[in-house]
Structures are given as C-alpha cells and as structure tokens.
Amino acid sequence: MLENAIVDSLKSALQTWSRPDVSKGAQEAEALRAEFVARFPLTSWPNMSVDSYALGLTTDGGTVCWWLEFKTRPVASMSGGSSSKHLVFKGSGGDWRYPKQYSNVDEAWSAVRSGFVQLFDLAAQGNFDEADSITALVGAAALRTKALYMYFPDDLVPVCSKGHLHHFLRTLGEDPSDLPTIRANRRLLAALRAIPELAALSTQELGFFLYHWADPRSTVRVVKIAPGERASEWSDCLANCYVCVGWDDVGDLSQFPTKEAFREAFREKYPYNGHESQVSRKSNELWTLMELEPGDKVIANRGVSEVLAVGTVNEVGYVWRPERQQYRHTLGVDWDTSFACTIEPARGWATTTVSKVPAALFKAITGGAGSKTPIDVPRVFLDIEEALERRGQVVVYGPPGTGKTYTARRASVWLLEGGSAEPSAADVLEADDRFEVRERQLSAGRAQSNQLWFMVANPSHWPWSNLFSDTTVDYGLGRLKRNYPNVRAGDLVIGYESTPTKRVVALARVTSEYDPDAPPELALTLEPVARVNDGITYEELQADPILALSEPARFRCQGTLFALTAVEGDRLLSLLAERDPSLTTVAAPSVQQLTRVTFHPSYTYEDFVEGFRPAQTGNGALELTLTDGIFKRVCEAAAADKDRRYVVLIDEINRGNIPKIFGELITLIESDKRGLTVRLPQSGQEFAVPSNVHLIGTMNTADRSIHLLDTALRRRFSFIELLPDSDLLEGATAGVLALDVFLDALNAKIRERVGREKQVGHAMFLRKGIPIDSAEAFAAIFRFELLPLLQEYLYEDYKELEWLLGGVIDAESERVSQLADDPETLCAELANHLGANATA
C-alpha cells in the first residue's frame, strides 16, 4: 500500500497533468511504433541482415538501430552513452565494431540476432523474467528494453534507463535493489497498474506521466554525512572508502521491501517520544543512504565548521556491516581529503547526521574544482517549462509563504537563459546577487515615452555635430508638420544626416515641446545624448524587414520629423547598440524579455491591452489618448523578435477580474490559437499573441481556492502547486526548536482543522533564503506574522489556538500567555507541544 504522501503527490501531479493535452503526443508515438513494427516485423528477425540492423549505415528508410535511437525517440528515449550499446555497429571510420568475444562481424551479428529472436520468443510466452539473462544481449539493457516495448507495448512502460526505472520505483516506495532492467520495468508497470487513478492510462501515457510527476533527470545530489559523533569513526571510514552512521537497532536496510516497511521498523526502535515528525525526519536521514547513487557527492564533517573530505559515491553503495561494533550502516565513498577545510558554521549540521548541502556551500568548499559544481535546477522549474511549452501559460499556486513569487521569478530568468535546453542556464541560480543582476538586465527596459522620433538634418545646412558643441539647438519646422504637435519633452530623437552622409549619427532628447504660436524656426529644442559611431545607413534602413515599413523608410527620408512605433524604435536602437556598445544603456528597448505586473481589483483591460488614458498636452491641459497596455507592447516586441522568449510574470493573478482584464485575448493565448488575429475594439488594429510569449501567474490559495477561479482561465492555464517544504529548514533551530519538525507538525494540525490550502509556508522562517537561527528572530515572527495568520484561520477561537499551539496560548483569558514573553521559553514550549525538540 502506498504511503499517503506518495498518493498525495500522485494526485497533485494528476491535477497539473492534462491527459487530453498529451494524447496527441501519445498518438504520434503509437503511430511511430506501429510504423517501426510494420517496417521490421518480428518475422523478419531470424533472417535479418546486419545492414538492416546496424547503426552507422545509410539505408533507404533507416536501420533498426537508427529507428530505435533516433526516429522513435518520442516513444521512449535510449539516448546517451556510446554506440556500443547497440552491440554491433559501424564506426565513424567505416570499420565494424562488436563485442570482443567475437572474431568477426558475421559471428557477432549471428549471435546478437539469435539473442533477439530468443528475447522475442520469451516475451511472446510471457516469460519476461529471463529476458535479462540472454548472454548475447548482456550489456545492452536499454536496447533490449526499447526493442521489447516496440513489439510488446502493453507489457512494459516506455522507460529504458535502469537508473530511471529504479528512481521511479523508489519514489513509489518500492525497493529496486538488484533488479535488472526488464524486471524493474515490469515491477514498475505492476505498481502503476495497482493505482486506481492511473488505471485508464495506456503505457505510453504512463511514460509521459512518470516524467511529469517525478523526473529523475536532475543534477548530482550533494549531502553531508557525519562519520560518528564528533567524527569518531573518520579514520576507519577514510581507510576503507565508506562513510558510516548509527541507528543500528533497525538493522540492515536492504532487508526492507519498501521505505514504508523500514519506517515502521524505525518507529518501533526509535519512537522519539511518540513525535511522528521527528520519526519521519530521522528515518529519512538514514534512508538517504539507500537513495544515493554512484556519482553523488558526500561531505564528511566534524561539528558545524570542519570539513574532513569530499567524496564521490561509488558502485559499492549501501552495505550493512555487522562486524562493526557500532555505526554499521555504511555507504561506499571514494574520498578526497584535499578539500579538508574550515568553513563558516553551518548551524544545521549540529542537529543532523545526514543533510542536503546547498550548491553555494558546496562550491565554497570545493572552490569549483574538478567537474562543474552541481547547481540544482528545482523540479518545479522543469514542470513550469513543460507547462509553458504545452499551454503557453501557467499559474503557480499554493498556501502563503511557499515561495510562489520567488520560484516564478527564478524560473522566468532560468527559462530566458535557455531553460533545460541550455546547461549553463542553471548558472544564474548559483547565487542571489548573480540572479538579481541578470533579472535586472532582462527586465530593465528604456522608460516608455510617448513617442520615439527619427529626425533628418541636411549637413550642408546644419550638421548634428553642432548639437554637441552648442549643447542645445532650436529645431525649426520642416516637412511632415503633422508630427510636431505630438512631440513631448523627454522624447528620444534618432538623428539622421542626409546626403552625402546618409547615416544615423546622433541621439538627442527633446527639452521643450512644440508651441504653435512660436516662430517656425523655434519649433523644438533638443539636447545631445550621445554620438553614434557606425550608425545605420539609408540602404540598411530600407533592407531591414521591420524598419522598411517605418515612416522614414516609406518616405525615403524626404522630410524632417518621422514617427517610429515602439517596435520600430526598439529595433533601430538595438541595431545601433550592437554596433556601438557605448549606447547600450541609452538604447535599451522599451520592452525587455521579462515583464512583471501585479493584478489587483482596479487593474483593467486598458492597463493590460489598450485604452484611452489621460495625457498632458504641451500647454498643460489633459486629453484622452489611446495608449497601448503592457501586454500589447510585449506581444508587439516579441512578434518582431521571434528567436527569443518573452515572459510576462503576473503576481496575484487571482486578485484581478480575469475576464475583464484579458477580454478577447483569453482566446488568443491558447497554444493552438497563437498567431491568429482579432481586431481590437478601440484601436481597430489587428492583434495576435505570438508563440514566444509566455505568461506565469502566482496565486495564494489562502485568499481564494483554485476551484473558484473563472472557468475560462482554468481551461487555458496549467496549474502547478507549491506546498510547504520543510526540507529547506533542515537542521535549522531556534533555541531548542527544530524548525523543520515544527513546520511539519504545525501543518499537520492545520490540515486537520482548516484544510491543506491554509498551511504555513517555509518562507516565513527564511531571511534572504537562509533559515533564521535564533529564538529572538523566531519570537518576532511568531508574534507579528504567524500568530495573526493563525488567528485569522481559526476565527479568533482561542480554544482552537490552544489546541494548535499549546501553552503559549491562554484560552481562558483569550490572549497569548506569559510563556511567549521570553523567546527561549516560547521555543521550548512549542518544541514540547509539537514534538520538535532539536535535542531529542
């Protein structure tokens, strides 16, 4: 029977996974699989030629191995590793490669082909248990798994990696130890078929769902493990290439068929005074030894500030060593003592034997030596990316303090840096200051002025260079006089010189506006902004696909003052900045790749799309002017820049009136309607939402349940839930209060009384991403943040508050008791009441 946490995780994943949306992909995968079977039927295998099978050959329609690895990748991936996984193949030099036990390619192919025939015969008889034991196919686990799935899709799931199979089984609470690939696959399928919520899914759909729910494709895990109290066992660990921990009474971990069975035994031996949160936390620490895989990193520590070594988990893995007097649980590790050092105290290490190590701390310890420092890309980022690729927009929702905005901001920057397709994109997550700098770069656009202008000067009458020597100039009326009344102080002007220069040479700014009563020669006053080196020429203006439609290009620069649209202005400024980097700050686009807004009850369609808004005229009066909203400007910029993503981050999306704010665009944001146009009712313009525009919203479920959202919004957005994550508080203490255990225990009681949507988030106890570490800091949070929130949840019912928080509440007098006046006493009382004592 699955643990409740696993069931909740599955149900939550199903809520954010749309079967109709993946059905098309499943149908396409099935069509590819059927095409493969038609091209290479089972009956063809006994007489198949090596030329029809092997990778590295060019044949009409492709070979078996080409189809398995490349053509049918949507069915199941077996990418990675070398071509040797195909057993027989042609190398890049044209020579045949095959296992060394064979003397020539014919002998090798004969044996491999017979192995496949035997494999398929066993599968046809339903005897999959022996499929991993065929001698000729040893060393080709992914190949034989993929081949079996292609012909027997109802009997396996489309997962070929042994590591991935074991990951999914462990996530389901199963123990995959010593299970070979095909048997692990069959075990996984059986486990999935036993889950009622998944019963209707095809195996192809199950494959898609597994990677949506618990994608194993992540970075290296890094943990610290203390080798005995005060590192008492370190010399033995170093000499024997392992690390050891206690909790010996529970016995050999490999004897337990599931993690749940292990936890039951752990609870019996180590009840922690009946406090389930402590049992869960400490049992998870010990079980980590079963979950770590070869390649993961381990830091051996003594106390909170001494690093003894950094090691790499080896193939030995977990071993129970009964011959040891104590600390019999061991994990094989290859140690490197060159990283031994003293660090700033990691306070969480004082109360944990095994705990996660943040990427920044790992880098500080290793100095970035060796392989690239592992930077953890949170699973939720991959979920957001997948949701955006599928739907185009997503809402991140959850209780207060779960890091919704924090997550959305970082996911947005990671996506704009390339996301999962660009390994270096994770570098921006390495440190907060690095992230914040990049976020500013991606979002700090040029101030949105009323207009950007293109002004032409004849150098025989007045060259633009005079502006820089004279510091200001009064510019007279010229042709196209209709534009002059629209100029406003602060507008940016692109200065162009006509024949013989025929090039942009300057940037200027308007300092005084057009006065119809002033003499014509005093129409405008300009001040210099920057000289332009190697500016855009007339020929380049005419040749650019965006600028060719602009006023100056259409009028062949025959005039004085031309209007540029926001997209045309951004395009021209970006071209100038590419040629002259000194213009970068001046020539920033008005719309950057990342735009952040906050919805509220007064936010309108006019703010978001377009509408008439008051604007000051040159004589100080107000007039209504049709103004583009922020989303319209982003879409126009993205349409002119189709090779880059644009993200609109909407905080508090549920606080706005969604149907009114989006209007007719609620249809255009659908993924299959991107690019379609509608005529906007106020401007009459044809408008479309480009496919490279993504929307990420955040929503607090304590304010409003997801079920109460507008139906149109729910149909068009994907939804990803963020729940409290006590792991982020692992090892952190406030006085004697273990913050992670406290949060788990408190939320268990909250769920019982008012529901899961009103839990308390981990972020309440973080400051700049770091857990608080003093009783005083906790007491301030308790009195001014946590208690008011709980009072609201429980409608000022002090009996309920006393049940929730214990002696720190005086229910009879309906007030906080005197125990809360002293921070240390407050922490001690809560620790005792909720079983969260760090010293237990």
Side-chain angles (χ1 to χ4, degrees):
M1 183 177 178
L2 293 179
E3 294 181 10
N4 290 335
I6 297 174
V7 174
D8 288 344
S9 174
L10 286 164
K11 289 180 177 179
S12 178
L14 281 169
Q15 289 177 355
T16 58
W17 184 76
S18 173
R19 187 182 183 189
D21 286 344
V22 302
S23 62
K24 182 180 178 182
Q27 291 168 7
E28 291 173 350
E30 173 56 24
L32 279 172
R33 190 200 65 79
E35 187 178 354
F36 171 87
V37 174
R39 184 178 293 271
F40 308 105
L42 281 173
T43 55
S44 69
W45 277 89
N47 298 307
M48 183 180 290
S49 69
V50 69
D51 290 345
S52 296
Y53 168 83
L55 202 63
L57 294 170
T58 302
T59 62
D60 185 22
T63 64
V64 166
C65 289
W66 180 83
W67 271 77
L68 289 175
E69 177 147 13
F70 300 108
K71 181 68 173 178
T72 60
R73 186 173 293 172
V75 178
S77 174
M78 56 175 294
S79 58
S82 68
S83 297
S84 60
K85 65 189 173 190
H86 293 285
L87 298 176
V88 178
F89 64 100
K90 215 162 195 179
S92 57
D95 55 323
W96 282 104
R97 305 289 180 85
Y98 44 84
K100 60 184 180 181
Q101 65 263 36
Y102 305 112
S103 58
N104 56 60
V105 66
D106 292 332
E107 180 185 355
W109 171 235
S110 177
V112 169
R113 180 177 58 196
S114 296
F116 274 111
V117 171
Q118 182 184 358
L119 176 73
F120 299 140
D121 286 341
L122 288 170
Q125 299 166 27
N127 186 2
F128 290 89
D129 287 345
E130 293 184 27
D132 288 299
S133 305
I134 299 172
T135 303
L137 302 183
V138 169
L143 176 67
R144 62 178 182 264
T145 306
K146 177 73 175 280
L148 274 180
Y149 181 80
M150 299 302 284
Y151 292 105
F152 302 93
D154 295 331
D155 298 306
L156 297 98
V157 289
V159 179
C160 303
S161 163
K162 180 179 178 180
H164 289 190
L165 290 165
H166 282 199
H167 165 81
F168 292 132
L169 284 168
R170 281 194 299 269
T171 308
L172 285 167
E174 299 250 4
D175 180 11
S177 302
D178 300 324
L179 276 181
T181 306
I182 294 174
R183 272 188 278 174
N185 193 302
R186 295 277 293 168
R187 173 82 67 84
L188 176 60
L189 179 60
L192 295 172
R193 287 300 185 215
I195 301 170
E197 291 84 355
L198 305 179
L201 301 185
S202 69
T203 56
Q204 188 70 63
E205 289 171 320
L206 284 174
F208 288 151
F209 175 75
L210 283 169
Y211 285 98
H212 166 78
W213 169 56
D215 195 335
R217 296 165 293 192
S218 60
T219 54
V220 172
R221 291 182 67 178
V222 183
V223 300
K224 79 89 187 176
I225 301 179
E229 186 175 355
R230 295 295 301 167
S232 59
E233 307 300 311
W234 172 238
S235 59
D236 189 49
C237 289
L238 179 62
N240 293 287
C241 294
Y242 58 61
V243 66
C244 61
V245 300
W247 296 292
D248 292 346
D249 289 349
V250 78
D252 186 352
L253 300 185
S254 62
Q255 69 179 310
F256 299 105
T258 66
K259 185 177 180 179
E260 186 177 31
F262 153 74
R263 184 170 291 168
E264 286 295 328
F266 187 93
R267 183 182 294 108
E268 181 181 341
K269 298 294 183 181
Y270 302 97
Y272 287 93
N273 297 318
H275 297 306
E276 183 58 29
S277 296
Q278 283 280 33
V279 171
S280 176
R281 180 63 55 192
K282 293 303 180 182
S283 64
N284 284 340
E285 286 188 43
L286 178 54
W287 194 256
T288 298
L289 273 65
M290 292 289 286
E291 296 173 336
L292 292 172
E293 297 181 347
D296 288 339
K297 300 293 183 180
V298 176
I299 294 173
N301 70 294
R302 178 187 283 120
V304 298
S305 57
E306 184 178 359
V307 172
L308 301 169
V310 175
T312 303
V313 177
N314 57 38
E315 296 292 339
V316 174
Y318 170 81
V319 176
W320 168 254
R321 300 182 186 272
E323 69 277 9
R324 289 182 54 83
Q325 292 185 356
Q326 58 180 345
Y327 301 104
R328 296 186 176 108
H329 300 286
T330 69
L331 179 73
V333 180
D334 296 325
W335 294 111
D336 184 345
T337 57
S338 67
F339 295 111
C341 62
T342 300
I343 61 172
E344 289 294 318
R347 297 187 183 278
W349 289 9
T351 58
T352 58
T353 300
V354 183
S355 61
K356 297 176 184 177
V357 175
L361 178 56
F362 182 75
K363 185 173 183 180
I365 292 170
T366 62
S371 59
K372 188 179 183 330
T373 302
I375 299 173
D376 184 28
V377 176
R379 171 65 220 177
V380 68
F381 286 17
L382 300 173
D383 291 340
I384 290 172
E385 181 181 49
E386 188 271 337
L388 291 175
E389 290 174 354
R390 182 164 44 85
R391 284 280 183 93
Q393 43 277 334
V394 63
V395 171
V396 180
Y397 70 100
T402 50
K404 297 175 291 296
T405 299
Y406 179 93
T407 296
R409 287 174 56 203
R410 280 157 178 76
S412 296
V413 172
W414 174 74
L415 285 165
L416 293 175
E417 292 293 274
S420 62
E422 177 53 61
S424 64
D427 294 350
V428 76
L429 307 173
E430 186 175 16
D432 284 347
D433 55 352
R434 181 171 182 174
F435 161 77
E436 289 167 1
V437 167
R438 187 58 182 144
E439 183 185 41
R440 285 195 295 270
Q441 292 171 343
L442 288 168
S443 58
R446 171 173 50 85
Q448 182 73 21
S449 61
N450 292 333
Q451 187 63 59
L452 192 138
W453 304 98
F454 188 98
M455 190 173 283
V456 178
N458 186 333
S460 62
H461 296 153
W462 179 84
W464 279 99
S465 58
N466 286 2
L467 177 62
F468 294 88
S469 58
D470 298 340
T471 67
T472 63
V473 64
D474 293 320
Y475 216 87
L477 280 172
R479 294 174 61 185
L480 294 179
K481 295 181 177 62
R482 60 183 171 81
N483 283 330
Y484 281 80
N486 298 322
V487 177
R488 297 288 180 268
D491 285 356
L492 193 65
V493 172
I494 296 174
Y496 174 88
E497 281 190 355
S498 59
T499 305
T501 310
K502 300 180 71 174
R503 183 186 293 273
V504 173
V505 297
L507 295 179
R509 196 175 305 281
V510 177
T511 58
S512 69
E513 300 176 2
Y514 173 69
D515 183 354
D517 297 326
E521 64 273 13
L522 301 178
L524 299 172
T525 302
L526 304 178
E527 66 179 8
V529 172
R531 298 178 188 270
V532 175
N533 299 314
D534 191 23
I536 301 300
T537 66
Y538 175 78
E539 290 76 14
E540 291 168 331
L541 183 76
Q542 293 285 355
D544 188 89
I546 295 173
L547 298 177
L549 302 176
S550 66
E551 262 193 12
R554 286 188 286 111
F555 284 90
R556 302 191 303 280
C557 293
Q558 299 298 306
T560 304
L561 185 66
F562 300 96
L564 295 172
T565 67
V567 171
E568 292 164 355
D570 286 348
R571 173 64 174 173
L572 185 49
L573 289 174
S574 67
L575 292 174
L576 294 176
E578 284 178 11
R579 297 183 176 199
D580 186 350
S582 66
L583 302 177
T584 301
T585 55
V586 178
S590 59
V591 176
Q592 282 279 22
Q593 286 181 267
L594 177 59
T595 301
R596 184 175 173 186
V597 299
T598 300
F599 280 4
H600 49 78
S602 299
Y603 204 86
T604 65
Y605 178 90
E606 288 74 18
D607 297 312
F608 201 58
V609 184
E610 67 173 16
F612 287 92
R613 305 185 67 82
Q616 193 170 31
T617 63
N619 59 14
L622 291 177
E623 64 180 11
L624 290 177
T625 303
L626 184 60
T627 305
D628 290 340
I630 194 164
F631 186 63
K632 183 181 178 184
R633 297 200 302 269
V634 170
C635 289
E636 289 177 342
D641 189 14
K642 295 181 179 179
D643 292 334
R644 296 196 300 173
R645 285 171 166 162
Y646 283 72
V647 172
V648 178
L649 175 53
I650 306 173
D651 269 325
E652 307 282 1
I653 190 170
N654 55 307
R655 296 188 64 230
N657 188 325
I658 304 298
K660 286 188 176 181
I661 292 173
F662 278 84
E664 62 277 355
L665 301 192
I666 198 69
T667 296
L668 295 188
I669 64 174
E670 293 185 49
S671 58
D672 61 344
K673 295 181 177 62
R674 295 295 183 97
L676 295 180
T677 61
V678 297
R679 187 176 297 278
L680 296 178
Q682 300 193 47
S683 66
Q685 293 179 342
E686 293 291 326
F687 179 76
V689 179
S691 59
N692 58 330
V693 172
H694 303 298
L695 293 97
I696 301 177
T698 68
M699 173 180 167
N700 191 332
T701 54
D703 296 335
R704 188 180 187 186
S705 170
I706 185 175
H707 304 296
L708 299 179
L709 286 179
D710 179 77
T711 304
L713 177 73
R714 291 180 61 189
R715 284 203 315 269
R716 290 170 173 87
F717 278 73
S718 293
F719 290 84
I720 295 174
E721 186 176 34
L722 286 187
L723 291 172
D725 184 1
S726 61
D727 285 349
L728 298 175
L729 303 174
E730 185 179 60
T733 59
V736 298
L737 184 66
L739 293 179
D740 53 350
V741 182
F742 165 75
L743 184 64
D744 286 340
L746 178 66
N747 280 329
K749 285 177 167 283
I750 290 174
R751 289 194 300 272
E752 182 179 338
R753 280 296 193 266
V754 294
R756 64 195 300 274
E757 292 182 336
K758 294 188 176 182
Q759 297 178 82
V760 174
H762 49 268
M764 184 173 287
F765 306 103
L766 298 174
R767 292 296 177 264
K768 295 184 178 180
I770 299 173
I772 59 171
D773 59 2
S774 71
E776 290 73 20
F778 177 85
I781 291 169
F782 177 83
R783 186 173 289 276
F784 302 119
E785 298 179 44
L786 178 58
L787 183 58
L789 182 67
L790 297 177
Q791 288 171 325
E792 178 185 345
Y793 284 173
L794 297 172
Y795 304 100
E796 300 284 344
D797 186 331
Y798 276 79
K799 287 186 177 180
E800 287 288 279
L801 282 168
E802 185 179 46
W803 171 82
L804 185 65
L805 298 172
V808 299
I809 299 295
D810 185 344
E812 186 173 337
S813 60
E814 296 191 344
R815 61 185 297 275
V816 179
S817 75
Q818 293 181 349
L819 293 176
D821 294 341
D822 178 67
E824 295 287 350
T825 304
L826 169 67
C827 293
E829 174 59 27
L830 290 172
N832 292 332
H833 178 66
L834 294 170
N837 196 312
T839 62

